[in-house]
Amino acid sequence: MGFALFSSLISWALAFYLLGRYLRKPSLHGGLYALGLFLFALGVSLELLARLQGGWSPLAYRLWYLVGAMHGVTFLGLGSLALLNSKGARTLLMVLSPLVLWGAYLVFAAPLDLSRLPYPSAPTGQAFPPPALTSPRLWTIPFNLIGTVLMLGVAVYTTLFFWRKNPLKAQGTLLIALAALVLASTSALNRFGVVGLEELGRAVGVGLLALGVALADRSTYAARGA
């Protein structure tokens, strides 16, 4: 319970911080990253609510699956791409938009059987039918893969690029890369039926992400003041 509460609080704090940064200086990167953090924060908060209530309600489960399981890292990855290539991020966003809508439709239209979950508040997709074109469980795979690859790839690239020029920024982006790895590993284990590590994995992942963003922003402000 403690890890879930930590993840929720840190996620919301980071989401509002990024929203404030976006409002002060609008950019595609900032907007997508803030959106991604709001979806992530809502997802972990719904998991916490399910734990507190002793189980999922059908609506909460479907909403969690959409914002957490399906799009927990999608928009974080697009925001990362926008940092390097805003035109490419816009194009990919347009390509993905119909699939995002299709996935949302499936989440709210697919049959749901909460009794198939390992325990009442389990954050897994097993309440939906097995992966198929008409099951939302299939569509979490490409969205999570795209988001993770973009988030991790951009973080590794910027870490190598700034390693000598701006060590503090490089440390921040390295932490973001580690956050992407932790979150991706947690999601992969969950998909293969390994439950019980979600809370710890998300707590570590979002903690690393918050530290990474803080260091990267600090390096930017320090460079401006130099």
Side-chain angles (χ1 to χ4, degrees):
M1 188 73 72
F3 289 130
L5 180 60
F6 172 83
S7 299
S8 182
L9 292 175
I10 296 298
S11 297
W12 283 114
L14 186 56
F16 279 106
Y17 169 76
L18 291 174
L19 176 62
R21 187 176 69 177
Y22 170 75
L23 293 175
R24 290 191 301 271
K25 189 177 180 182
S27 67
L28 181 62
H29 159 70
L32 289 171
Y33 227 78
L35 174 60
L37 255 299
F38 270 104
L39 295 179
F40 186 91
L42 180 56
V44 295
S45 297
L46 287 168
E47 288 184 30
L48 177 60
L49 181 63
R51 286 289 302 274
L52 292 173
Q53 293 181 335
W56 290 102
S57 69
L59 178 60
Y61 183 85
R62 290 181 189 274
L63 184 58
W64 163 77
Y65 201 81
L66 177 65
V67 302
M70 186 173 286
H71 294 303
V73 295
T74 305
F75 294 95
L76 292 175
L78 287 169
S80 298
L81 177 61
L83 182 64
L84 296 183
N85 187 336
S86 60
K87 184 177 180 180
R90 285 191 180 90
T91 300
L92 183 56
L93 180 60
M94 290 177 62
V95 170
L96 290 178
S97 291
L99 298 178
V100 170
L101 293 175
W102 172 245
Y105 166 75
L106 291 179
V107 166
F108 287 99
L112 188 67
D113 183 0
L114 294 173
S115 67
R116 290 201 293 255
L117 295 176
Y119 53 92
S121 60
T124 74
Q126 291 168 268
F128 284 120
L133 288 176
T134 56
S135 171
R137 291 177 66 182
L138 175 69
W139 295 94
T140 60
I141 299 173
F143 287 126
N144 279 280
L145 182 62
I146 290 171
T148 300
V149 168
L150 289 175
M151 190 178 171
L152 179 60
V154 171
V156 170
Y157 172 81
T158 51
T159 297
L160 295 174
F161 183 81
F162 286 109
W163 194 254
R164 292 182 180 274
K165 297 181 179 180
N166 191 334
L168 187 59
K169 191 176 186 69
Q171 292 170 22
T173 55
L174 178 60
L175 289 176
I176 293 173
L178 291 175
L181 278 175
V182 170
L183 294 173
S185 299
T186 302
S187 177
L189 289 172
N190 181 284
R191 186 168 288 109
F192 285 107
V194 180
V195 297
L197 298 176
E198 301 86 1
E199 291 186 6
L200 176 60
R202 289 190 180 93
V204 172
V206 76
L208 290 171
L209 183 60
L211 287 174
V213 170
L215 283 178
D217 280 7
R218 184 181 173 188
S219 72
T220 300
Y221 296 138
R224 290 174 182 172

